[in-house]
């Protein structure tokens, strides 16, 4: 099974009112435990900061590890307009084009998140932040050392420019993260004020404060949205080295990085060269790994993991197979049936389509028993609901009873279990009954509606492996009368059609952060994102009750309250099946040439091996990769 986990952000950047608990009643006090009118080194959504002002390094960092060497990788995650199989621009901040993953390593924000806390930020370009008495204005003092790769200082004017352009012209992920930022002003070269609307929540503010900063001067003679291969200067640890468009790109560590010995960089980003390789075919990618042309890859195909990692370098120990735990944030793989096309708007249709997928047969016969049947869009997190709603959840759901499916108030929806035959007749009869209840009746070999239109479903894919895994489901759909087909397209066409919502059905995988925000959830589930090209609301869902729960999330004053609201949302989404949960994996299955060092256990809220691991020259010589 091929899974490409698209993270809304690797650095965790980041409507209808709920009856009597709408936006007007959202708490005005954010960061209640943070003193006002006093400079602080960090902010936390809920609870205390783990690291004090004088911390030396993050606990998951490895200051003793050597610097230098190289890693050649294919990427398991990407963000913004980035693509894993090609690139045609270096501008990753806009919707247009395909940028190379890890180009974000060139850039830094005012603050940064850690990999061992779900909701904390620490000063990055900023050495301190001061909250106003009303907690709507954040005053940042920039570090005097901060420099772009051009040698120019990072100024408050650069930050103000970056926020303004990314809000008005940036990729939807950036624009939405900045939605509640009302004004950004530079008081002087090092002092900056970020003023929010007053509608912001703690997670909203956290999402906005790590936006990447670019130099204003660079864009004085060019449009912000311009593509091409001019490197947009950043202040980060890496710069662009050699590249061949669509084939590979190398990021070189800067000797002159201003923060090379700051606490937040100490013991991280060890590699001198990080090379990202691009392949349009996963088999070619695997063959490159076998030869050592790629030295690190995360394997998402169970067949390959079970049968193709028996080549000589594995047998003699030069290549290692390893499984690392997954992150403690919502990670999901789901189908999206495009409700902008009326035939997919009825939840009974979506349930019927799901019944035609026999997970038990697929896992046993095609996936080597290595996968799990996901039940939730918040899989692997604390936000997955169970059983019937307890009193604390009912208190939130009851005001919405008239807008919710009655089933929400009973046991939460779970995946049906088949007989494992691949053609469970009872389930196929149930699917046929659901289609009929939704107005689609059998005429000959086809399902038709009252107007005589045939029910068609084209499953758009960009990986041949999906045809192998889901071919049996297409057969089952045909058995109940659906004119079903698989259509394989190239990466560029797939990305374009996905952005424009030009599909019947696609498979998507995402990671959300450990403290979801109204804005990030709105990208996936909110009505406002339904017709916004480039948003992640691929099903085209628009439901006032879901909007209300997302809005209610913004009122959460503690992690416990946030968890309760998320479980309520989980119940609603699972009964609606806008996003149909599919197949999940409990962790990371990784193949790597035995030439790297790393510390265990990995942190709970991230696995950026390019930052955490390091090159071990002795090991590299032993495996012939020095």
């Amino acid at each position: 099974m091929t899974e490409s986990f698209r993270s809304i952000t690797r650095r965790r950047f980041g409507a209808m009112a709920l009856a009597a608990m709408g936006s007007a009643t959202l708490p005005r006090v954010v960061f209640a435990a943070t003193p006002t009118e006093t400079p602080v080194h960090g902010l936390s959504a809920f609870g205390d900061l783990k690291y004090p002002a004088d911390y030396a390094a993050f606990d998951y960092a490895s200051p003793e590890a050597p610097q230098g060497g190289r890693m050649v990788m294919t990427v398991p995650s990407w963000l913004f307009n980035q693509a894993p199989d090609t690139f045609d621009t270096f501008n990753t901040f806009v919707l247009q084009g395909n940028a190379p993953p890890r180009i974000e390593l060139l850039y830094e924000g005012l603050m940064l998140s850690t990999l061992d806390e779900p909701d904390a930020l620490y000063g990055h370009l900023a050495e301190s932040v001061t909250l106003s008495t009303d907690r709507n204005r954040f005053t940042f003092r920039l570090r005097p050392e901060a420099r772009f790769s051009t040698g120019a200082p990072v100024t408050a004017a650069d930050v103000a420019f970056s926020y303004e352009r990314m809000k008005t012209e940036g990729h939807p992920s950036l624009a939405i993260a900045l939605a509640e930022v009302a004004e950004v002003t530079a008081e002087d070269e090092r002092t900056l004020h970020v003023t929010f609307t007053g509608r912001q929540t703690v997670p909203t503010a956290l999402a906005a404060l790590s936006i990447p900063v670019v130099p204003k001067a660079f864009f004085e003679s060019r449009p912000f949205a311009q593509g091409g291969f001019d490197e947009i200067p950043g202040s980060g640890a890496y710069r662009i080295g050699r590249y061949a468009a669509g084939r590979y790109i190398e990021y070189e560590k800067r000797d002159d990085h201003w923060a090379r010995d700051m606490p937040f960089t100490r013991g991280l980003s060890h590699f001198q060269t990080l090379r990202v390789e691009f392949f349009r075919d996963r088999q070619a990618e695997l063959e490159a790994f076998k030869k050592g042309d790629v030295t690190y890859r995360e394997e998402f195909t169970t067949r390959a993991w079970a049968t193709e990692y028996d080549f000589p370098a594995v047998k003699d120990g030069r290549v290692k197979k390893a499984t690392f735990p997954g992150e403690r944030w919502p990670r999901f793989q789901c189908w999206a049936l495009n409700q902008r096309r009326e035939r997919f708007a009825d939840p009974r249709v979506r349930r019927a389509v799901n019944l035609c997928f026999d997970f038990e047969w697929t896992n046993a016969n095609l996936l080597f028993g290595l996968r799990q049947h996901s039940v939730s869009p918040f899989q692997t997190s604390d936000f997955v609901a169970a059983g019937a709603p307890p009193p604390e959840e009912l208190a939130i759901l009851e005001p919405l009873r008239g807008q919710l499916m009655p089933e929400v108030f009973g046991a939460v929806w779970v995946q049906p279990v088949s007989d494992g035959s691949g053609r469970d007749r009872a389930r196929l009869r149930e699917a046929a009954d659901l289609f009929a209840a939704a107005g689609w009746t059998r005429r000959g070999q086809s399902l038709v509606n009252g107007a005589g239109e045939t029910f068609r479903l084209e499953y758009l894919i960009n990986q041949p492996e999906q045809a192998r895994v889901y071919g049996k489901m297409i057969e089952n759909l045909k058995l109940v009368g659906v004119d079903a087909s698989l259509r394989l397209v190239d990466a560029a066409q797939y990305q374009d059609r996905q952005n424009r919502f030009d599909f019947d059905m696609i498979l998507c995988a995402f990671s959300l952060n450990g403290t979801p925000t109204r804005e990030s959830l709105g990208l996936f589930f909110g009505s406002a994102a339904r017709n916004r090209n480039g948003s992640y609301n691929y099903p085209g869902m628009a439901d006032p009750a879901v909007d209300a729960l997302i809005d209610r999330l913004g009122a959460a004053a503690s992690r416990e309250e946030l968890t309760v609201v998320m479980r309520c949302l989980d119940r609603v989404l699972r009964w609606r099946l806008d996003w149909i949960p599919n197949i999940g994996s409990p962790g990371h299955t990784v193949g790597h040439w035995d030439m790297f060092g790393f510390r265990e256990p990995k942190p709970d809220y991230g696995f950026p091996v390019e930052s955490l691991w390091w090159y071990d020259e002795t090991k590299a010589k032993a495996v012939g990769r020095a």
Side-chain angles (χ1 to χ4, degrees), residues 39 128-132 137-141 187 191-194:
S128 68
V129 56
T130 303
L131 274 64
S132 62
R137 189 173 74 166
F138 294 62
T139 299
F140 292 92
R141 188 68 174 163
E187 179 179 317
T191 306
L192 178 86
H193 304 291
V194 178

Side-chain angles (χ1 to χ4, degrees), residues 272-285:
Q272 174 59 39
T273 304
L274 177 68
R275 179 176 171 122
V276 177
E277 293 278 356
F278 295 83
F279 297 90
R280 293 182 181 270
D281 179 78
R282 64 154 301 278
Q283 194 61 43
E285 176 186 326

Side-chain angles (χ1 to χ4, degrees), residues 291-295 593 595 615 619-626:
K291 293 189 296 183
D293 294 339
V294 171
T295 56
W593 284 77
M595 53 188 288
Y615 176 80
K619 286 184 174 182
K621 288 180 179 178
V623 300
R625 307 309 305 172

Side-chain angles (χ1 to χ4, degrees), residues 7 62 87 113 115 144 152 217 253 282 285 369 409 430-431 451 469-470 528 537 549 572 583 623 625:
S7 176
S62 303
F87 67 96
S113 58
L115 300 176
K253 192 169 184 182
R282 64 154 301 278
E285 176 186 326
F409 295 89
E430 184 181 353
V469 172
Y470 297 112
N537 186 349
L549 288 171
V572 174
I583 295 172
V623 300
R625 307 309 305 172

Side-chain angles (χ1 to χ4, degrees), residues 375-518:
V375 298
S376 167
F378 306 133
Q379 201 74 25
T380 71
S381 75
D382 296 334
F383 306 140
V384 178
E392 61 270 23
E393 292 179 28
L394 284 173
I396 294 171
L397 293 169
E398 280 293 350
L400 295 167
R401 183 179 282 272
Q403 302 176 61
L404 295 172
M405 300 170 66
E407 293 90 340
V408 169
F409 295 89
V412 70
W413 177 87
V414 295
Q415 288 283 8
V417 178
S418 78
D419 62 10
S421 67
R423 191 176 292 184
D424 187 323
R425 294 189 177 187
R427 281 179 53 165
L428 294 181
R429 281 195 298 271
E430 184 181 353
D433 290 343
L434 286 167
F435 275 119
W440 296 90
T441 56
R442 192 69 176 254
R443 183 182 298 172
Q445 299 301 310
S446 301
L447 287 176
V448 298
N449 61 12
E453 298 166 327
T454 300
F455 193 103
R456 292 185 172 85
L457 188 155
E458 180 186 83
Y459 183 1
L460 188 70
I461 62 175
N462 65 348
Q463 293 284 349
E465 178 70 7
Q466 290 188 44
R468 183 183 76 91
V469 172
Y470 297 112
K472 177 69 71 172
M473 181 188 71
I474 297 298
E475 293 177 11
N476 285 338
L477 285 165
K478 290 178 177 179
L479 284 174
V480 299
V482 175
D483 181 5
S485 62
L486 284 160
R487 183 173 182 185
L488 176 66
V489 298
D490 63 36
Q493 184 179 354
Y494 188 89
Q495 184 72 36
D496 176 64
R497 290 184 62 175
Q498 181 176 260
N499 283 342
R500 295 185 293 108
F501 310 124
D502 181 20
F503 56 83
D504 289 345
M505 177 177 176
I506 58 173
L507 181 68
C508 306
F510 291 91
S511 294
L512 306 176
N513 76 29
T515 305
T517 68
R518 270 186 324 206

